[in-house]
């Protein structure tokens, strides 16, 4: 059953009435461009068909109630909270993400009249596929919809009229994660969830906010992006993500630039000579990764999808050796996929666990999948979850 229907039916069973509406947002795969977003760089994500839905109805008592339907079919309910009493860090746990969105909208002077929310979805959690951003964006659209901002929740992404508003909503959702939850993520995840379109990757210049929808019809080319969820749980808050971010900010400060985006590839060697040894690998990754994003986008515009494979490989090597955010399970998945015939493979997401992706010919996909599963079994690791990722639509209102 689709997340929107699940959310609506669970809402009815919990509250004895139908929701006023259901809104949903997708997880994402980042084709390339890792740890470049908080360095004002370039990213190239696309939306997954997997979504998180928020069924919602207004309340008149200023309370926010939140329930979520787990993958095991059980409903978990958070304690009701007064929207006026929301403060960063309270509530904590899983309820912090939707509560943070309500807090941001209150700070922006929007809504605040109370709401019942019921969440359901199929974005894998802990897989580095932005389940938290999908949740935040779905809740943002739901609360905006309840507040009467249907014009911002119904416009599809990619259109000129609605895209600026979608960019603003993405920033609000990011602020909820950064300031309320306390996780220092960049702009990639929420922007992808709000602004991606079906059949395209989103070329995003994080500094300017400019976007381009680059065609990426994998079925037409006979190529697939295979997602390998290693089941090694990924968490920004419990990893070295913040350390890496602070390191790149320190490097930019020492180099006298606004962000590492301002270090051009021809000047990389001279820049590295000015930095202490521990910062050089971080800078080398960010500068080279930005260049790889630009090159991949050029290949896709020209329809040369198969030629991006070596760039995916180079990205993983850089993330593993320079940025040091890979994990043994990710390296194993990448190596197994390449050996079995993938054109290129890399970890995707912030790292320290989560998922890898592999670009494979349709005819080679069964062999690659079998090799990955067998390799994990030999290492006595949990069986990975594998699926093909089709570039899908961004966030919006659902019919159920």
């Amino acid at each position: 059953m689709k997340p929107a229907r699940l959310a609506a039916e669970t809402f009815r069973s919990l509250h004895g009435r139908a929701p006023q509406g259901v809104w949903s947002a997708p997880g994402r795969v980042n084709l390339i461009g890792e740890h470049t977003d908080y360095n004002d760089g370039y990213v190239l994500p696309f939306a997954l068909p997997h979504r998180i839905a928020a069924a919602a109805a207004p309340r008149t008592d200023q309370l926010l109630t939140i329930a979520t339907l787990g993958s095991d079919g059980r409903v978990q309910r958070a304690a009701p909270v007064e929207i006026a009493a929301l403060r960063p860090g309270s509530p904590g746990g899983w309820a912090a993400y939707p509560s943070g969105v309500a807090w941001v909208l209150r700070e922006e002077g929007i809504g605040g009249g109370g709401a019942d929310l019921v969440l359901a979805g199929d974005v894998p959690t802990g897989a580095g596929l932005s389940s938290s951003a999908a949740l935040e964006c779905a809740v943002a659209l739901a609360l905006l919809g309840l507040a009467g901002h249907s014009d911002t929740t119904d416009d599809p992404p990619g259109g000129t009229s609605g895209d600026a508003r979608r960019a603003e909503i993405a920033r609000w959702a990011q602020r909820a994660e950064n300031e309320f939850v306390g996780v220092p993520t960049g702009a990639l995840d929420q922007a992808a969830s709000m602004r991606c379109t079906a059949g395209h990757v989103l070329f995003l210049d994080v500094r300017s906010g400019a976007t381009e929808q680059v065609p990426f019809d994998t079925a037409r080319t006979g190529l697939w992006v295979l997602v390998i969820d290693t089941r090694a749980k990924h968490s920004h808050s419990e990893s070295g993500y913040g350390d890496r971010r602070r390191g790149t900010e320190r490097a930019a400060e020492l180099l006298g630039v606004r962000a590492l985006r301002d270090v051009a590839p021809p000047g990389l060697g001279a820049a590295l000579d000015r930095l202490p040894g521990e910062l050089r690998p971080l800078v080398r990754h960010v500068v080279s990764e930005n260049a790889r994003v630009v090159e991949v986008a050029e290949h896709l515009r020209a329809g040369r999808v198969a030629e991006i494979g070596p760039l995916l490989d180079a990205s993983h090597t850089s993330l593993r050796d320079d940025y040091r955010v890979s994990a043994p399970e990710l390296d194993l998945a990448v190596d197994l996929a390449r050996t079995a015939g993938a054109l290129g493979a890399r970890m995707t997401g912030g790292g320290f666990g989560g998922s890898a992706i592999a670009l494979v010919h349709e005819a080679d996909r069964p062999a690659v999948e079998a090799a990955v599963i067998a390799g994990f079994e030999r290492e006595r690791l949990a069986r990975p979850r594998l699926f093909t990722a089709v570039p899908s639509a961004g966030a919006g209102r659902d019919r159920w």
Side-chain angles (χ1 to χ4, degrees):
M1 189 182 296
K2 290 184 177 180
R5 180 172 291 277
L6 274 174
E9 292 187 358
T10 304
F11 188 101
R12 187 185 294 273
S13 69
L14 291 177
H15 296 289
R17 69 188 192 282
Q20 181 169 302
V22 181
W23 294 260
S24 70
R28 64 95 188 97
V29 158
N30 194 23
L31 186 62
I32 197 166
E34 229 62 78
H35 295 278
T36 52
D37 56 345
Y38 54 82
N39 288 288
D40 277 3
Y42 305 106
V43 293
L44 202 65
F46 63 88
L48 289 168
H50 305 75
R51 303 177 76 86
I52 291 180
R59 297 176 63 99
T60 59
D61 57 5
Q62 315 302 311
L63 290 180
L64 179 69
T65 75
I66 312 165
T68 183
L69 179 66
S71 58
D72 58 359
R74 297 181 180 180
V75 175
Q76 186 175 1
R77 305 181 79 161
V81 294
E82 292 185 22
I83 290 181
L86 290 172
R87 298 291 184 274
S90 180
W94 66 269
Y97 292 88
S99 298
V101 173
W103 172 76
V104 169
L105 293 182
R106 187 198 75 194
E107 294 286 293
E108 295 290 333
I110 298 171
D116 292 319
L117 295 174
V118 175
L119 310 171
D122 57 4
V123 182
T125 59
L129 301 174
S130 295
S131 59
S132 62
L135 185 156
E136 291 154 0
C137 291
V139 168
L141 291 186
L143 294 179
L144 285 165
L146 296 184
H149 295 260
S150 59
D151 57 327
T152 66
T153 61
D154 294 341
D155 286 348
T160 303
S161 61
D163 198 53
R165 183 61 163 167
R166 285 178 165 272
E168 184 175 37
I169 296 169
R171 288 192 294 271
W172 291 341
Q174 181 195 359
R175 184 183 170 198
E177 187 153 334
N178 292 169
E179 298 182 25
F180 194 95
V181 184
V183 179
T185 53
L188 164 63
D189 297 342
Q190 292 82 4
S193 193
M194 287 300 305
R195 304 177 75 182
C196 282
T197 62
H200 297 80
V201 290
L202 180 75
F203 181 72
L204 170 63
D205 179 338
V206 174
R207 172 171 287 175
S208 69
T211 63
E212 177 189 355
Q213 302 289 345
V214 181
F216 190 51
D217 186 346
T218 52
R220 184 184 61 80
T221 62
L223 295 167
W224 293 97
V225 175
L226 178 66
V227 177
I228 307 166
D229 175 5
T230 67
R231 311 277 187 173
K233 289 299 183 182
H234 145 93
S235 171
H236 285 318
S237 59
E238 298 173 2
S239 69
Y241 184 97
D243 293 338
R244 303 302 188 279
R245 179 166 186 164
R246 286 186 291 272
T248 58
E249 291 169 349
R250 175 62 177 156
E253 181 183 357
L254 291 172
L255 293 171
V257 295
R258 176 177 167 187
L260 293 184
R261 147 76 172 271
D262 298 309
V263 180
L268 176 59
L272 295 180
D273 289 341
R274 297 168 54 194
L275 294 172
E278 69 273 13
L279 297 181
R280 292 173 187 171
L282 302 181
V283 174
R284 184 163 53 237
H285 166 73
V286 172
V287 175
S288 63
E289 185 81 344
N290 272 323
R292 284 186 287 268
V293 174
V294 172
E295 191 172 352
V296 167
E298 290 173 351
H299 284 314
L300 297 185
R301 293 185 193 104
R304 301 192 302 268
V305 180
E307 295 181 27
I308 72 173
L311 293 163
L312 302 183
D313 291 342
S315 175
H316 184 79
T317 299
S318 181
L319 288 160
R320 181 193 66 203
D321 298 343
D322 278 344
Y323 224 69
R324 305 183 302 282
V325 293
S326 190
E329 295 88 348
L330 291 169
D331 295 338
L332 178 63
V334 166
D335 291 343
L336 290 168
R338 289 173 181 165
T339 302
L343 299 178
R346 64 182 290 270
M347 56 158 281
T348 189
F352 305 102
S355 298
I357 57 172
L359 183 67
V360 299
H361 283 293
E362 185 174 11
D364 295 331
R365 181 167 62 88
V368 173
E369 291 179 341
V372 170
I373 291 170
F376 271 63
E377 185 175 309
R378 284 194 302 272
E379 297 296 324
R380 300 187 178 183
L381 295 170
R383 184 184 178 94
R385 178 187 184 194
L386 294 94
F387 61 92
T388 51
V390 178
S392 301
R397 188 166 186 170
D398 292 79
R399 297 180 180 178
W400 72 93

